[in-house]
Each structure stands twice: as structure tokens, then as C-alpha cells.
Amino acid sequence: MKNIKIKVPATVANLVCGFDILGMAINNPYDEMELRLLETPDIIIKHTDHFGLPEEASKNVAGVVLLKMQEHLNLKNGFEVIIHKNIKPGSGLGSSAASAAGAAYAANILLGNILSKEEVVHFAMFGEELASGVRHADNIAPCIYGGITLVKSSDPIDIIPLNTPDLFIAAVHPQVEVKTSDARQILKKDIRLKDAITQWGNIAGLIAGIEKNDLSLIGRSLNDVIIEPVRSILIPKFHEIKTKSLELGALGGGISGSGPSIFMITERKETAEHIARMMSSVYDEINVASFVYVSDINPSGITVIE
Amino acid sequence: MKNIKIKVPATVANLVCGFDILGMAINNPYDEMELRLLETPDIIIKHTDHFGLPEEASKNVAGVVLLKMQEHLNLKNGFEVIIHKNIKPGSGLGSSAASAAGAAYAANILLGNILSKEEVVHFAMFGEELASGVRHADNIAPCIYGGITLVKSSDPIDIIPLNTPDLFIAAVHPQVEVKTSDARQILKKDIRLKDAITQWGNIAGLIAGIEKNDLSLIGRSLNDVIIEPVRSILIPKFHEIKTKSLELGALGGGISGSGPSIFMITERKETAEHIARMMSSVYDEINVASFVYVSDINPSGITVIE
């Protein structure tokens, strides 16, 4: 195979109480990527979108992943990559992870599936390192595996795909900037043991709820007493949106990744649509532009279109 | 029904990384209790064992539970209770929880099953309050529900019974005293966020492993980076026993409750027996008397014998 076209899902990392360990792939929005295997060692990146991302290979998230694969796997081939990006950079919906994971995933297929899934994750993490300075798999893992994934450890890579409950997501991306580095710096280095115990009770409940498909338990467990109270300060109208979402029937939700997007989980699609309209109107009122998304969970991760 | 005889399992609380939230019922050791419904309002407690526990109702763990039931449910009846205790008080194997849970459970049956399981837990917790000063359900919940239970919250009571994997337990009770109050005081009030994240990754992995019956994942998740490093100081030979147990094939393990008992989880019964012999000889070498137990998981909690 010389050419491949793939569909790459957006992802929600830091799933409420699952800070740094739980992520989820969603069907909307998504990127499309085309990769072509070259006889020459060039890495050529083209963006058809207008986000102004760098196309020089060493500065591009997909490019740097392919450069690392070329180096570590002693490849003589190069790749041409065309990225049709819909997941907005800086949204907190796994935009850089999509480019990184898509590049590693598609290149591996073009090379004849020489890598395990964990190795694909390993290479994709170089893209995250370029984008955020941290080699993390919070978005990469659900993007590649689909559904909800637990990153038990990223060194060594230990990823556990969980059950995919039948749920819907409403997400809003307000056009305000939250830098990942600011979102990291604002966190306290020490926390109360008491709060940590509450948090791990919620995490345990969330995992049990996901595995048992117990939506009530999932809802009761979607509480973050440690990260959200601090980071939500950076996102205008966070509390109003969360409160109104719960009133409208959301099971729970929180900050997607390090923000500024906010996501809510619902049992029914109509509830998610209702919440999305509310989210949009809350930001309209304060004249902040926003994009809203309604989606189900993407169960299988990156898929090959052609 | 006027008389009932029940079998009440020992329990392991603070299941490694699941401090304050996860507990497990085991088949060995266990207590037996006989309850008789009286026409008079007396609460009569008798112990056939020789642990010297108080028999005055208001000072006895089972007695105080029955007094609270009498008061809150406006009972005209009393109860006579005969306790055949095998679970050693102060062992960290849920001895007080067994008496408390057994009293509430059996009394409820004699009263015609007027209480829900959560209400039985509610009353049993008064016994734990007498024994340790804290109304906790860490041991009560697995004792009543059986198997492995998640106490997501004890106020309001929110207990989630988990899957019961096919595992064995080796436990050793060295004859040293660890006071629950000391074990509590030694803990730091603040912990590192970094450690908390490691801990909740392990908890998430442990719950997923239990639910998926994935023994390798259970083993990889049985690590406690917060409580065990502090509390293990109170238990002589803890690290030697843990290291040797892992060498002998244990999936993992740690301190049972607040100690001094140590438990190890294994896939095969023979491995647990082997570990139990090692545990015994380690304490023999330093002239500390010890009791060892080999058990499987008790899947159904307290059971009626007669």
C-alpha cells in the first residue's frame, strides 16, 4: 500500500476525576489525513486548513513523529502528509494528539504494520512533546484505541481500554485562550489526603460504572474536587454552564483537557443537543464566540477511509 | 423466626491502593454468632471465646448496634447474642466489624427483614464507632455484601459491590500491637499531587482489573505509594515479607486494615500456602508469635447456618 486516508477523532483528556489518566475519543469533531509513502526520504507536510500551523517537518506535530519513526526504524522512505484539520488547535479537544496519532498510525500501516499499538503510541507521543513539552498519552491513547482509555503509566506505556458505555457528549469551545503551561502552573503541588481519598473514591466509582455500564454510578462519580476548582477559574462562565447542564439532565462533565473547552456527558442525544444550545447562548450573552459539538463516543479510534 | 445462627467472614480493608474505599471479605478466619429474639427489651451478650471483650451491651460492639436498632426502630423486643469469635481483636482483619455487621444482619432477619442492606450497614457502623471512634464502612460493607466492595461514600452510604475474581489470600497476623489511632496519626495530612495521580492510576487499574477478571492488571495495580510507605514502619518485617511474597509469585498485597496483619493475593492456592509458610518462618526467626491464614474470597458475605 502506498496511499492511505484516515479519519482521526477528537479526544477529551482529564476525564473529570480522572486527571492525567482517563481519556475518551469522540466522533465529532474529527480530522482527516492522507499519507503517501515516498521512495525518497523527504517528509512533506501540507495543511488544507487555515489554522496557520507550521508545515516545516521538524516544527509540525505530524512531521516530528515521522522524523522520529524514520530515525528509530532506519527507514529509507519518506512520507507526504496532507492534513485536513477540523479539531481546532488550542481547543483542549486533542488537536495536536490527532495529528501525532494519525501520522504514526497511518505510517505504520503504509510500512506493513510493523509496530504494535503501544509502539504507535510511543512514536505519537513525540508529537505531544513538540506541542506541549510533555510526553503524555492522555489524548493519544483514546485517539488510537477508541472509546475510553486508562493510561495507567506512560513510561513504560501501560494502556487499558475500558468498556464503551452508550453515552453522548455536548462540548463547547469558547474562543478564549488557556495555555497548557498556565493550566499546569496554576495547580498546587500538594493536596489534602482527605481530598485525594474523595477523588479516588470517585475514580473507582467511575471505572466501575464504565465497566458495568451503570449510568447512575457514572453520574455519581463525575466529580473532581482537586483540579476543576482551580482550573475552572481560567474559563469564563464555567460554573454557570456546568450548573445549567446538570439542570438539563447531564450526568456530569468538566474541563476537556486543560481547557478552554467544556464537555458534558448525557444519556440521551436530545439532552446533549439541548445542552449544546444552552452553552452557545451563554457565550453569546457575553459576546464570546464559541463552537459547540454534539457527539457520541468513538468506539474504535482512528479508522481507514481509503 | 426466633433463633438464628450465622457465619461472619473476616475482612481486609484498605485494599493496597484503595485506602479508605476498598475492602474484601475472606472465608478464613470467620466468627459464628447466635441471636435469639426476646420478648423482654434486654440486650444480653455472651462471648464463648477468651479474648476478654466486654459483655455489657453498651460497651460491646454487637450490643451497641442492637441498642441503636432498638432505639431508632422503637423495638419492644430485646436480643440474646452468643458470639463465637475466631477473628482476633486488633488483628486488622475486621474483628469488630464482624460483630457489628453480624448483629445488625441477624437482628434484621429476626425482625422479618424490615431493613435494606444500606440500613443494615448504617446500624452496623455504630459498632465501628464504638471500636475505633470512626463511623466507617470499610470492613462492614464487604462483611455484609461479600466479595470486594467499593465504599464510594459512607455519608450518604453508597456501596458498590464489584466482581469477585478467582483469587486466594495468604495473611499473617504477627503478635504486635498497632493501634488504629496511631496508624491514623502517623499519616501526613498533605500529599504530593504527583503521588496522588500515581495512586489513582493504580486504583483505576485495580478496579478495571477486578471487573475484567484480568489478574495481570490486578497485579500491576497493587501498589500503594502513599499510605504503605508510612504505615509499614509500624510493622516489623513488612518489607521482607512483601519482597519474599512477590518472589514466591504473589500478585501483590499490603497491610490489612491498619495492621498489623499483612495479606498477599495470589492466583493459585498452592502459592498462598507457600507464602503463608514463609510468613510464619520469618516471624519465628525473630521470636514473634504469628497466626497465618490461607483463604479464598468470600463471595456472599454473612451467611445463615441455622
Side-chain angles (χ1 to χ4, degrees):
Chain A
M1 196 190 291
K2 295 280 163 151
N3 291 284
I4 189 169
K5 189 172 178 181
I6 57 171
K7 190 172 162 177
V8 189
T11 47
V12 173
N14 296 339
L15 212 60
V16 193
C17 47
F19 179 72
D20 255 12
I21 60 166
L22 277 186
M24 171 173 71
I26 59 178
N27 274 319
N28 179 38
Y30 61 87
D31 288 353
E32 287 182 351
M33 291 173 75
E34 296 173 68
L35 262 81
R36 190 155 66 89
L37 194 65
L38 303 177
E39 295 305 317
T40 59
D42 306 301
I43 306 285
I44 302 162
I45 312 284
K46 291 175 188 167
H47 271 272
T48 61
D49 52 74
H50 302 287
F51 295 119
L53 295 166
E55 294 188 334
E56 191 182 325
S58 65
K59 294 180 179 172
N60 181 283
V61 164
V64 83
V65 169
L66 297 173
L67 284 169
K68 286 287 180 183
M69 289 178 75
Q70 220 176 25
E71 180 191 337
H72 293 203
L73 303 170
N74 292 311
L75 303 180
K76 283 169 187 163
N77 301 85
F79 299 90
E80 185 186 52
V81 186
I82 304 172
I83 305 176
H84 312 281
K85 185 164 283 299
N86 299 303
I87 311 166
K88 293 184 177 36
S91 61
L93 291 168
S95 181
S96 60
S99 294
Y105 185 94
N108 179 46
I109 294 177
L110 292 180
L111 295 169
N113 279 303
I114 57 173
L115 302 176
S116 69
K117 266 190 176 177
E118 286 79 9
E119 288 167 326
V120 173
V121 170
H122 166 76
F123 282 110
M125 282 164 68
F126 287 107
E128 288 293 54
E129 188 174 18
L130 178 70
S132 72
V134 183
R135 279 177 60 74
H136 69 96
D138 304 12
N139 295 88
I140 298 283
C143 190
I144 290 173
Y145 287 75
I148 303 175
T149 55
L150 164 63
V151 179
K152 214 182 98 45
S153 155
S154 50
D155 185 25
I157 293 169
D158 190 359
I159 292 163
I160 296 112
L162 302 175
N163 177 46
T164 304
D166 202 11
L167 293 170
F168 294 88
I169 290 95
V172 61
H173 171 206
Q175 301 302 290
V176 295
E177 194 186 358
V178 173
K179 283 189 184 161
T180 304
S181 55
D182 288 350
R184 288 231 156 236
Q185 272 185 340
I186 201 177
L187 296 177
K188 292 164 192 151
K189 286 214 169 59
D190 292 316
I191 60 171
R192 297 224 156 206
L193 175 59
K194 195 170 155 289
D195 292 335
I197 293 168
T198 303
Q199 190 89 344
W200 65 55
N202 283 326
I203 290 164
L206 181 56
I207 304 287
I210 289 168
E211 286 296 310
K212 290 177 188 296
N213 225 20
D214 180 337
L215 303 191
S216 161
L217 177 54
I218 291 173
R220 298 202 304 283
S221 305
L222 286 171
N223 289 304
D224 171 4
V225 298
I226 293 174
I227 311 299
E228 184 180 292
V230 180
R231 283 197 170 170
S232 58
I233 298 162
L234 300 174
I235 303 170
K237 293 288 179 184
F238 177 85
H239 293 289
E240 183 176 335
I241 283 179
K242 185 164 181 184
T243 305
K244 286 187 172 169
S245 297
L246 295 173
E247 284 167 8
L248 290 171
L251 293 171
I255 302 165
S256 181
S258 53
S261 289
I262 303 169
F263 74 101
M264 290 290 150
I265 295 175
T266 68
E267 197 173 338
R268 290 157 44 85
K269 192 179 182 186
E270 294 70 31
T271 312
E273 288 167 341
H274 202 166
I275 288 171
R277 284 194 295 275
M278 175 276 292
M279 289 167 157
S280 194
S281 69
V282 166
Y283 284 115
D284 282 351
E285 278 170 27
I286 57 164
N287 293 312
V288 168
S290 67
F291 296 92
V292 293
Y293 305 95
V294 170
S295 181
D296 47 0
I297 300 179
N298 172 310
S300 44
I302 299 170
T303 46
V304 177
I305 312 175
E306 284 169 31
Chain B
M1 198 191 289
K2 296 279 164 153
N3 293 284
I4 189 169
K5 187 172 179 180
I6 57 171
K7 189 171 163 178
V8 189
T11 46
V12 173
N14 296 337
L15 211 61
V16 194
C17 46
F19 178 70
D20 254 13
I21 60 166
L22 278 185
M24 172 173 70
I26 60 180
N27 274 319
N28 179 37
Y30 61 88
D31 288 353
E32 286 183 350
M33 291 173 76
E34 295 173 68
L35 262 79
R36 189 155 67 89
L37 194 65
L38 303 178
E39 295 304 318
T40 59
D42 306 299
I43 306 286
I44 302 162
I45 311 285
K46 292 176 185 165
H47 272 272
T48 61
D49 52 75
H50 303 286
F51 296 119
L53 294 167
E55 293 187 336
E56 192 183 325
S58 65
K59 294 180 180 172
N60 181 283
V61 164
V64 83
V65 168
L66 297 172
L67 285 169
K68 287 288 180 182
M69 288 178 76
Q70 222 177 22
E71 180 191 339
H72 293 203
L73 302 171
N74 292 311
L75 303 179
K76 284 168 187 163
N77 302 84
F79 299 91
E80 184 185 54
V81 185
I82 304 172
I83 304 175
H84 312 281
K85 185 162 284 298
N86 298 304
I87 311 167
K88 294 184 175 37
S91 61
L93 291 168
S95 181
S96 61
S99 294
Y105 185 94
N108 178 46
I109 294 177
L110 292 180
L111 294 169
N113 279 303
I114 57 173
L115 302 177
S116 69
K117 265 191 177 179
E118 286 79 7
E119 288 167 328
V120 173
V121 170
H122 166 78
F123 282 110
M125 281 163 69
F126 287 107
E128 287 294 53
E129 189 173 18
L130 178 71
S132 71
V134 183
R135 279 177 58 74
H136 68 97
D138 306 11
N139 295 88
I140 298 283
C143 190
I144 290 172
Y145 288 75
I148 303 176
T149 54
L150 164 63
V151 180
K152 212 182 98 47
S153 156
S154 49
D155 185 23
I157 293 169
D158 190 359
I159 292 162
I160 295 111
L162 302 175
N163 177 48
T164 304
D166 201 12
L167 293 170
F168 294 88
I169 291 95
V172 62
H173 172 205
Q175 301 302 289
V176 295
E177 194 186 357
V178 173
K179 283 189 183 161
T180 305
S181 54
D182 289 349
R184 288 228 157 237
Q185 272 184 342
I186 201 178
L187 296 178
K188 291 165 193 152
K189 286 213 168 58
D190 292 314
I191 61 171
R192 297 227 156 204
L193 175 59
K194 194 171 157 288
D195 292 335
I197 292 169
T198 303
Q199 191 89 344
W200 63 57
N202 282 326
I203 290 164
L206 181 55
I207 304 288
I210 289 168
E211 287 296 309
K212 290 177 189 294
N213 224 22
D214 179 338
L215 304 190
S216 160
L217 177 55
I218 290 173
R220 299 201 304 282
S221 305
L222 285 171
N223 289 304
D224 172 4
V225 298
I226 293 175
I227 310 301
E228 184 180 292
V230 180
R231 282 196 170 170
S232 58
I233 297 163
L234 301 173
I235 304 170
K237 293 287 180 186
F238 177 85
H239 293 288
E240 182 175 337
I241 283 179
K242 185 164 181 183
T243 305
K244 285 186 172 168
S245 296
L246 295 174
E247 284 167 7
L248 290 171
L251 293 170
I255 302 164
S256 182
S258 53
S261 289
I262 303 169
F263 74 102
M264 290 289 150
I265 294 175
T266 68
E267 196 173 338
R268 290 156 46 85
K269 192 179 182 186
E270 293 71 30
T271 313
E273 288 167 342
H274 202 165
I275 289 171
R277 284 194 294 276
M278 175 275 292
M279 289 166 156
S280 194
S281 69
V282 165
Y283 284 114
D284 283 351
E285 279 171 27
I286 57 165
N287 293 314
V288 168
S290 67
F291 297 91
V292 294
Y293 305 95
V294 171
S295 180
D296 48 0
I297 300 179
N298 173 310
S300 45
I302 299 169
T303 46
V304 178
I305 311 175
E306 284 169 32

